[in-house]
Amino acid sequence: MHGYAIVQTLKDHSDEVVQVGESSLYPALQRLLLNGWVKADWGASENNRRARFYTLTAPGRKQLVSERQDFERMIAAIQKVLQTA
């Protein structure tokens, strides 16, 4: 996906709870590129504008699994704390 499509997908799939601005998205994508977790190719967007399309790499998928596990552990811990409060 290109940047704008990523923003829209996050917004749509989160019922508009997660809203990421360009000032946050593009530096994050740059860090993902530098880590080798995504690759980027230039192409044409839906409205024929030149856009950079980002794709997860194999190391990126592995990192996503790890990050997701860490996130799920954190959510479980927060739920435990809230249940005892």
Side-chain angles (χ1 to χ4, degrees):
M1 276 185 229
H2 55 81
Y4 180 76
I6 293 170
V7 168
Q8 288 304 118
T9 299
L10 290 170
K11 191 173 160 183
D12 293 345
H13 289 182
S14 70
D15 295 326
E16 299 192 18
V17 173
V18 176
Q19 296 191 25
V20 178
E22 289 181 30
S23 61
S24 299
L25 176 68
Y26 291 106
L29 288 170
Q30 189 62 31
R31 284 191 302 275
L32 294 172
L33 280 166
L34 291 173
N35 285 323
W37 296 335
V38 297
K39 67 176 188 164
D41 295 303
W42 289 98
S45 66
E46 303 80 32
N47 56 5
N48 261 348
R49 289 190 170 173
R50 188 168 184 238
R52 204 166 184 192
F53 288 80
Y54 299 89
T55 308
L56 267 173
T57 61
R61 290 184 195 288
K62 186 176 179 181
Q63 183 66 25
L64 178 60
V65 168
S66 174
E67 296 285 340
R68 185 176 284 157
Q69 289 170 344
D70 290 347
F71 182 74
E72 288 171 359
R73 277 193 299 275
M74 179 62 73
I75 293 299
I78 291 169
Q79 287 174 335
K80 281 183 179 180
V81 169
L82 291 175
Q83 287 172 357
T84 60

